[in-house]
Amino acid sequence: MAQTIVEKIAQSHMAEGPKRPLRAGDFLSIRPSHVMTHDNTSAVMSKFKALGAKKIFDSRQLVFALDHDIQNQDEANLKKYRSIEAFAKEHEIDFYPAGSGIGHQIMVERGYVVPGSFVVASDSHSNMYGALGAIGTPIVRTDAAVVWATGEFWWQIPRSIQVVLEGKLRSGVSGKDVIITLCGLFDHDEALNAAVEFSGPGVASLSMDARFSISNMSTEWGPLVSWFPVDEITIEHLRGVRQDLKAHGIERFTEEDIESWINEPPVMDPDASYAARILLDLGEVTPHVSGPDAVQVVQSVAAVEKKKIAIQKAYLVSCVNSRVEDLEAAAHVLQGKKVAPGVKFYLGAASAWVQQEAEKRGFWQTLLDAGANPLPPGCGPCIGLGAGLLEKGEVGISATNRNFKGRMGARDAQCYLASPEVVAASAVAGYIAGPYPFKDFTPSRQFTEFAGNGKASAEKVEILPGFPEHVQGRLVFLPQDNLNTDAIYGKDYTYRDDLTPEMMAGVVMENYDPQFAARTRAGDVIVGGFNFGTGSSREQAVTCLKAKGIQLVIAASFSQTYLRNAYNNGFLCVEVPELVKRLQKRFSTKITAKEKTIIPDEDVGVDFTSGTITWLGETFIFPPLGSVPQSLVIAGGAENLVAKRLGLAEEKQRTDLWRNTR
């Protein structure tokens, strides 16, 4: 069976899963090449200890990089940093202290990411690793602890979308403009939770740093994976990485490895099936600005410039746009100029190495001479930590990847996103402006969805002891798309430890429909809309439904974080978009009347042996749940499953020792 690149790379790292070629929707256990954690390493350490684990499965998988709160000199933070460093030393884990740089940059510049590898991090911008022909994808903290203990974590293969790039970027247009344009052109969840594979003749014209920017900020667009093919640009970059590492006595890959990537690069099968295809002519892309307060609100710089939107702060920081090429581009704009009065311009390199290289080439001094305020290599203002945050009523323009309200400072401040060149030009002008003249132009929107591709197909599945073959329950339809976790379980209860399961069940869906708890009962089956469980990562949005006795949630699609939290807590979730579309049509009148909870007094049946759902005589197919998700549900979640497996492993070791000493 022909496979996409995600399916092929996942297959090569599979520890447990279907005994056939992988396809979209499959659950499997993955053994990643590396897992990176940053300041949240402390939280992962706590989860690791809670599993009962005594040792790291493979210390070579782990990378610790302190990058988020590095400006914080409070004793509590320093103590946390010391404990992380001590843990790394004890277990012989690669450790990068505060000031080394942002974790994602360290992963690519220190040789941890190579073509065909599968690399994860407990951070959402892990997509960046796809720029090097790898699979990079985020995981939650529980997953990271499980990888530490077992070397594996569970994953579901996403559908794949092909993004064909044609033409060539014009001078003054950057990779940041490409991804901002994609966020604006395709802003109706076309790529949500998908894997996007970039291809086409336009790829060859993109620098390595441009690819890093596109892959990194694809997180805000919606994909779980953002992959670029391996070509001469990739190989040249990897040779540079190897040379730099060799100078420090480090060898993570060899010249023979590089030759193998040249001769046999990871590629998708020529007849692989895609859920959709996007075409973008790079020659049509112009500098664009995203915001304020939303990534998908996009305008051309030419249009924004006419409005003369005054700014008080400008930022050239973060893992998306503060590499050498970015600093050089900004320095070129600022050469011989000064930051406008009333504007503060903050500068932070992606890593200490990037800053050293910029200093050596003179870019750094040019930026300082223009009036930039230097910050240590780290996340800083991008994550809303440290110096230079937006204050009440201020407007900022930033080369970061997110501009959510309140993220970079005060909630009533405004933030726009743009390329390093636009940020630099705006800092000089005192208002949002571009360094070069461009016409107000938006590229054409070319999107083709392929019927049938990326959908599940019927398949018989072996059911493990303890997992239900069939489930039947009353259908409870929640038609709203993007039903968020705060609606499922409100913030007023999230941080209370005194709530019993019965109390949790009494407030479930309170912010969505105050009558939900009273109208529903144990044994019901919820059917939700698209992107169910979006929003914060609170696990109670799962456990409150378990407390209520809901058997499972069927939805058109799930927030990936919600899906991970669900199975990590042993709760069943199944994607069946065709059923949801059918329900939307059947109950269109009630939906128009804004009924939030529709209970038609009809049962829905789920057959896990065949991956089918029946409702009113109709049958709908969902991706088969094999041994990996079944095991999670049987054990009651990932932590229980890992603890059980570790206990079995320890028992086996004791048995083997007894046998060998008889």
Side-chain angles (χ1 to χ4, degrees), residues 49-129:
K49 293 171 183 175
L51 294 174
K54 304 298 182 184
K55 62 180 181 178
I56 301 296
F57 180 84
D58 182 357
S59 61
R60 293 169 299 178
Q61 282 183 304
L62 279 58
V63 181
F64 295 170
L66 303 181
D67 59 8
H68 272 51
D69 202 16
I70 65 172
Q71 297 176 48
N72 183 356
Q73 297 300 303
D74 289 351
E75 177 56 27
N77 191 55
L78 296 178
K79 181 180 179 181
K80 179 175 78 172
Y81 280 7
R82 288 194 297 269
S83 70
I84 294 172
E85 184 173 10
F87 186 90
K89 185 176 181 180
E90 176 188 356
H91 295 280
E92 299 182 330
I93 296 164
D94 287 2
F95 172 77
Y96 294 89
S100 302
I102 303 173
H104 299 304
Q105 178 65 21
I106 285 171
M107 295 298 287
V108 298
E109 80 176 28
R110 302 298 175 94
Y112 293 105
V113 181
V114 298
S117 60
F118 197 114
V119 183
V120 299
S122 186
D123 187 276
S124 60
H125 290 103
S126 315
N127 291 14
M128 188 173 113
Y129 311 147

Side-chain angles (χ1 to χ4, degrees), residues 34 65 168 231 234-235 286 527 534 580:
H34 293 289
K168 183 179 181 180
D231 59 11
T234 321
I235 296 301
T286 63
V527 180
T534 189
V580 176

Side-chain angles (χ1 to χ4, degrees), residues 1-9 11 21-22 162 197 227 265-274 277:
M1 185 181 91
Q3 291 180 300
T4 64
I5 194 63
V6 172
E7 292 160 356
K8 292 183 76 170
I9 293 178
Q11 191 96 50
L22 293 172
Q162 190 178 47
E197 296 181 9
W227 185 87
V267 293
M268 66 290 292
D269 291 328
D271 52 347
S273 296
Y274 293 90
R277 178 177 293 125

